[in-house]
Amino acid sequence: MPRANPNLLVQSLRGASQVFFMENAATGLLFFVAMAYASALTGNWATTIGAALGVLVATLTARLLDCDAPSVSSGLYGFNGILVGAALPTFIASSPQLWAAIVIGAAASTVVTAAFSATLTDKWGIPGSTGPFVLTGWLMVAAAYSFGRLHVTGDAPRLAADLVRGAAGIPGPADLVAIFFRNIAQVYLLGSAVSGAIILAGILIASVPAGIAAGAGSLVSLVVALAMGADPSAVSQGLYGFSPVLTAMAVGVIFLTPSPRVAVYAGLATVTTVFVQGALDALVAPAGIPSFTAPYVLTMYLFIAPKRLMAPHPHAPVADHMVGEGTPARPASPAR
């Protein structure tokens, strides 16, 4: 694990990298490059600016609240904030009130992260991961429907029966490659295949096994979604792949000791996440809120809970592949 660093910028960049379980400022910087590329492509910079604001506010809040210093330095209090900062401009129209909501949501995500760590992680040994982002994001987007100065731009509340169903033809080779990378990009709510490729490169810089797991998760989710006849538009945008990507990494490499048995177990978890994605999309549609990474969170919690049957695994083998920030010195905080 990289050495502790009190620099706010380094801590924030590590927070950006922790979205994909990495602890590497160079990786976090590449993730921001991916966001900036997507913003330049669309001409909408709100997501990138919101992400930067979110991770800074979340990290500063953790420092002001005197949260566990090694965890703050590792970026473990920043990754939920950056996701809140990226998500709110994606689903809420730009306004002064939106930026206030990002600050409030990012700061609140730090408190929720600490609460998850003190309960879920401390009592049951299950990492909170992006659970605090999901909870905070749901509450903030749902609240926007109650406030006249916050306008939700995403899907309006709709019945689950309105969701598109039916089989569709298999996309061409070029489209399949684009979807493969969009699956990865959508973790950061980005629809650009190039951004997904940049993010995958950032993961590989920090950890080759984690990068392989991310690629495997994207491929498996693509095959399962197409085989099940999922909404072609959602599949094409990468919306059936981003949670399985995180599940494949978390279960296959990050929180359990890699082995052939764990690889099969992670494969089952990844396939399950695709079905959970479809289920939660239908469940949250009437509320008019996105599922965010809830399919990953729910599946990961369920598959990590019985980890006493398998050796718990923080970040040690992954850290062995890290470059650019020193060599591992201690195990990762369980708060991740």
Side-chain angles (χ1 to χ4, degrees):
M1 177 176 292
R3 62 187 177 278
N5 192 315
N7 185 280
L8 176 62
L9 178 60
V10 172
Q11 292 177 354
S12 296
L13 289 175
R14 287 178 178 174
S17 71
Q18 285 283 8
V19 171
F20 282 93
F21 314 100
M22 302 295 100
E23 186 182 328
N24 188 292
T27 294
L29 182 60
L30 273 178
F31 290 175
F32 270 106
V33 170
M35 285 186 277
Y37 176 86
S39 290
L41 206 61
T42 62
N44 182 4
W45 287 88
T47 299
T48 301
I49 297 171
L53 179 62
V55 72
L56 284 170
V57 169
T59 304
L60 276 172
T61 301
R63 290 169 61 148
L64 290 173
L65 294 179
D66 199 24
C67 295
D68 177 59
S71 296
V72 176
S73 180
S74 297
L76 295 176
Y77 279 99
F79 68 93
N80 280 293
I82 195 173
L83 289 174
V84 169
L88 294 189
T90 301
F91 295 97
I92 300 176
S94 183
S95 68
Q97 290 77 15
L98 166 66
W99 301 105
I102 290 174
V103 171
I104 294 168
S109 76
T110 296
V111 178
V112 178
T113 297
F116 273 49
S117 179
T119 53
L120 190 69
T121 304
D122 186 56
K123 303 299 182 184
W124 293 287
I126 300 173
S129 197
T130 60
F133 154 62
V134 172
L135 178 58
T136 305
W138 275 351
L139 293 175
M140 298 299 287
V141 174
Y145 285 106
S146 298
F147 302 134
R149 298 191 183 276
L150 289 175
H151 175 62
V152 180
T153 58
D155 289 338
R158 55 179 174 156
L159 297 176
D162 294 333
L163 297 175
V164 177
R165 294 187 179 87
I170 298 177
D175 291 330
L176 289 173
V177 172
I179 295 170
F180 172 87
F181 287 114
R182 287 190 195 117
N183 287 341
I184 298 170
Q186 283 289 359
V187 174
Y188 264 111
L189 298 99
L190 307 175
S192 166
V194 173
S195 294
I198 295 172
I199 290 172
L200 182 57
I203 298 171
L204 288 167
I205 285 175
S207 166
V208 173
I212 293 173
S218 179
L219 182 60
V220 168
S221 65
L222 176 56
V223 171
V224 174
L226 289 175
M228 291 293 109
D231 178 1
S233 176
V235 173
S236 178
Q237 294 176 61
L239 299 180
Y240 269 91
F242 64 95
S243 276
V245 164
L246 292 176
T247 299
M249 295 177 69
V251 179
V253 177
I254 304 300
F255 299 120
L256 297 176
T257 303
S259 69
R261 180 178 66 162
V262 168
V264 174
Y265 189 65
L268 174 61
T270 303
V271 172
T272 301
T273 306
V274 179
F275 284 85
V276 176
Q277 179 78 57
L280 286 180
D281 283 348
L283 289 172
V284 301
I289 58 176
S291 59
F292 290 136
T293 57
Y296 149 67
V297 170
L298 178 58
T299 307
M300 185 272 288
Y301 286 177
L302 294 175
F303 274 74
I304 294 299
K307 70 179 181 180
R308 292 181 181 177
L309 303 176
M310 307 172 190
H313 170 58
H315 280 167
V318 171
D320 289 341
H321 296 269
M322 284 182 167
V323 295
E325 291 201 35
T327 56
R330 55 183 172 78
S333 166
R336 180 68 181 87

